[in-house]
Amino acid sequence: MSEVVLYSLLIQNAAQVLTLAGGASNKPLAGSELSSWCITENGYVACVGETIVAVGPMSELDQACLGPETRIIDATGRVVLPGLVECHTHLVFGGNRAHEFERKLRGESYLDILASGGGILSTVRATRAASEAELLENALYHLDGFRRYGVTTVEAKSGYGLDRDTEQRLVRVARQAGRQQPVRVVPTFLGAHVVPPEFKAAGPQAYVDFILHDVLSDLKGEAAFVDIFCEEGAFPLDVSRYYLEQAHKMGFGLKIHAEQLHDLGGCEMAAALGATSVDHCDYLTPAAAARIAQQTQGQTVAVLLPLVPLFLRQEKYAPGREFIDNGLPVAVSTDFNPGSCPSKNLWLALSVACLKMGLTPKEAVAAATLNAAWAIGRAADCGSLEPGKRADVLVLDLGSVAEIPYWLGENPVRDVVIAGALQ
């Protein structure tokens, strides 16, 4: 007779447990799978240590696994779901760009401000001037804010240094911040954000050659992915392709900022190289999305960032409904950064994804949990409530999945569990 293992944590009596289980195990949810995953009514989630060990209806709860040390969270009338996964943020930076917000309100465009030396370059100046201790303090502050919104895993891009020492410091700070608090941090190297002033005369190709020869070799094992901003005013398509090809040969996973403001073909290019995600996609056409889905067999995720066009007062939003209908997996993130999305409210992003991109509530939840985990290579241990995965679990003060995008801008989180520990 096998020994009974006692649960260390039990979340019970949930009105709905949004498991996100039921799709293919080897690729992101796409098409109808994005909304056909399992919801368990009147359910429970049981954990031992940092790991989920059982999920199911209360009628199947094994009472023999409960002991005097089992911590019980009552979720009567509430929704339980996986911790949210932020798959596109610029976590570590110095200063802010509130002064540029007023310029935007007067009608200046994102690219106009960048061309005048503002935008990303403004944050680069502030970030270079900040000490490592200041950057770490800011990152920890923002991670605490993410945790309050129920985010349990955060991707953190560099990109506000644009020189060797500062870029490496940003990756180092992101990793250190992940060690000092519960929210897991996944660093991405975005040294190719824009061309820094020092390389303005030499141009984009010279700058990416500098990154490849002088920076990336020191980041092996520190950042799993490299990213590049393929856009007018940043990096053209041919330079972006060259950079990603070379970085891939060095063993890095690939990401791209593309089709944010223009259709340059960056998403299709990066997907053809095996990119884990293509991000922004506001100008990606449904036909191109269908080609990406077919070419990559549904492995590349389109990361949608609906709060960016909202904050920049743009009319163009990614056609998420058409992406889904054409089989392209989608994720949703905030793009938290000081210029185009100074918000950590992923719940608001889900609402805007429904209102402006055509997602349904179930699709939006999947896009911010399991598919977001796929977008940063972490689907094996987070993003769904399944035995064997890390016990990142939320209890919401809501009664059904339909309410999640309905309460516009509100934070519905009551309880946050990260790695089996109530925060």
Side-chain angles (χ1 to χ4, degrees):
M1 188 173 183
S2 61
E3 182 181 354
V4 173
V5 177
L6 298 180
Y7 299 151
S8 56
L9 175 69
L10 174 68
I11 303 172
Q12 64 178 11
N13 299 320
Q16 292 185 337
V17 178
L18 312 185
T19 69
L20 276 297
S25 61
N26 63 342
K27 61 182 179 179
L29 299 176
S32 62
E33 285 188 342
L34 204 64
S35 59
S36 62
W37 45 266
C38 176
I39 295 178
T40 300
E41 308 282 345
N42 189 29
Y44 75 93
V45 178
C47 313
V48 173
E50 298 184 355
T51 306
I52 297 170
V53 295
V55 180
M58 288 298 295
S59 60
E60 297 179 4
L61 175 63
D62 187 351
Q63 298 290 335
C65 293
L66 304 182
E69 302 300 318
T70 303
R71 181 162 194 170
I72 295 178
I73 297 175
D74 182 51
T76 299
R78 294 178 169 88
V79 168
V80 171
L81 76 161
L84 301 185
V85 178
E86 268 281 14
C87 59
H88 185 127
T89 85
H90 302 252
L91 177 70
V92 187
F93 57 86
N96 65 66
R97 304 220 291 268
H99 60 289
E100 292 181 4
F101 180 57
E102 295 189 77
R103 293 175 65 181
K104 292 186 181 82
L105 294 178
R106 291 195 297 267
E108 291 190 65
S109 75
Y110 179 85
L111 290 180
D112 288 340
I113 293 172
L114 177 63
S116 71
I120 294 166
L121 294 175
S122 173
T123 299
V124 167
R125 291 190 292 272
T127 302
R128 288 179 177 181
S131 69
E132 188 158 332
E134 290 171 330
L135 293 172
L136 179 59
E137 181 181 9
N138 288 342
L140 291 170
Y141 170 79
H142 292 307
L143 284 171
D144 185 61
F146 276 121
R147 179 186 56 80
R148 293 172 187 271
Y149 280 118
V151 174
T152 56
T153 298
V154 171
E155 185 253 20
K157 300 181 188 294
S158 68
Y160 290 125
L162 306 187
D163 60 31
R164 185 184 62 189
D165 292 345
T166 312
E167 283 296 316
Q168 291 177 350
R169 183 160 69 245
L170 295 180
V171 173
R172 187 165 62 245
V173 166
R175 290 178 65 86
Q176 181 62 28
R179 289 190 288 264
Q180 290 189 206
Q181 50 71 63
V183 178
R184 176 167 48 187
V185 176
V186 179
T188 289
F189 178 70
L190 180 58
H193 203 175
V194 294
V195 178
E198 298 87 347
F199 281 83
K200 186 174 182 180
Q205 182 66 52
Y207 178 56
V208 300
D209 280 334
F210 161 73
I211 295 174
L212 291 166
H213 297 150
D214 290 23
V215 185
L216 273 186
S217 60
D218 292 331
L219 291 171
K220 290 182 179 179
E222 300 296 312
F225 297 97
V226 299
D227 199 340
I228 189 168
F229 186 20
C230 180
E231 184 54 78
E232 293 183 11
F235 294 91
L237 183 65
D238 59 338
V239 174
S240 299
R241 178 187 292 109
Y242 165 78
Y243 176 69
L244 293 179
E245 286 174 340
Q246 299 306 310
H248 188 58
K249 290 177 183 177
M250 296 175 69
F252 290 94
L254 305 182
K255 291 176 165 289
I256 192 169
H257 286 54
E259 274 69 78
Q260 178 183 357
L261 303 169
H262 303 89
D263 183 3
L264 303 184
C267 289
E268 284 196 82
M269 176 274 292
L273 296 177
T276 302
S277 73
V278 293
D279 298 36
H280 283 289
C281 307
D282 293 319
Y283 283 80
L284 180 65
T285 66
R291 290 193 294 270
I292 292 172
Q294 183 174 23
Q295 181 181 43
T296 67
Q297 297 183 326
Q299 293 289 347
T300 297
V301 179
V303 177
L304 312 183
L305 307 166
L307 296 187
V308 174
L310 177 68
F311 189 75
L312 296 180
R313 300 197 303 171
Q314 296 169 342
E315 297 299 320
K316 183 74 170 175
Y317 287 79
R321 176 77 270 134
E322 288 85 354
F323 292 175
I324 295 167
D325 292 344
N326 280 290
L328 182 64
V330 301
V332 171
S333 186
T334 58
D335 192 14
F336 171 69
N337 73 83
S340 59
C341 184
S343 174
K344 296 181 281 286
N345 191 344
L346 187 49
W347 304 107
L348 177 60
L350 295 188
S351 296
V352 179
C354 291
L355 293 168
K356 291 291 191 177
M357 296 177 170
L359 276 66
T360 68
K362 286 191 73 175
E363 290 169 343
V365 168
T369 52
L370 186 55
N371 273 15
W374 276 105
I376 56 173
R378 296 287 175 155
D381 69 346
C382 69
S384 62
L385 300 179
E386 299 178 87
K389 288 202 171 185
R390 195 171 88 143
D392 295 344
V393 192
L394 307 181
V395 180
L396 307 185
D397 279 323
L398 302 175
S400 72
V401 64
E403 291 186 58
I404 290 175
Y406 167 74
W407 295 106
L408 188 66
E410 290 197 17
N411 182 4
V413 174
R414 190 193 75 173
D415 298 311
V416 178
V417 173
I418 301 179
L422 182 65
Q423 303 301 310

